[in-house]
Amino acid sequence: MNKNQIGENAGIVWRVLESKGSLSFEALQEETELDLPEFFAAIGWLAREDKISFDKENGITSVRLYQERYY
C-alpha cells in the first residue's frame, strides 16, 4: 500500500459517505469492500484532512462527512 492507493481508498470512503450519510465503522467498511488496513488508512487520511467526523452512541462509533456548523 502506498500514498496513492491510500488516497484512492479515501476517495472511495468519501463517496460512500456522501451517498449513504453517517455509517458505523462496520457498515462503512462493508460498503467500501476495503480490507481493514486499507479501510483504516483511508479513514486516517480523511480524518487528518478534516473531511470526516466521528460520533459515538450506545457504544457504536459512526463516521460522517464533516460539515462546519455555525450557531
Side-chain angles (χ1 to χ4, degrees):
M1 184 170 20
N2 60 42
K3 284 185 184 180
N4 288 333
Q5 187 62 48
I6 294 169
E8 289 176 21
N9 292 341
I12 292 169
V13 171
W14 192 92
R15 286 188 292 280
V16 168
L17 289 171
E18 182 183 40
S19 68
K20 303 273 184 176
S22 180
L23 293 169
S24 69
F25 277 127
E26 293 81 12
L28 182 55
Q29 196 257 331
E30 186 177 306
E31 286 286 330
T32 62
E33 299 180 353
L34 298 172
D35 65 30
L36 284 178
E38 292 173 329
F39 174 73
F40 282 111
I43 290 291
W45 177 293
L46 292 170
R48 178 71 176 102
E49 297 211 344
D50 288 329
K51 303 290 184 192
I52 57 174
S53 59
F54 305 93
D55 299 309
K56 189 168 189 172
E57 188 173 321
N58 298 325
I60 298 172
T61 301
S62 302
V63 183
R64 63 180 168 85
L65 292 180
Y66 177 76
Q67 296 175 4
E68 284 194 48
R69 298 171 194 241
Y70 299 98
Y71 298 93

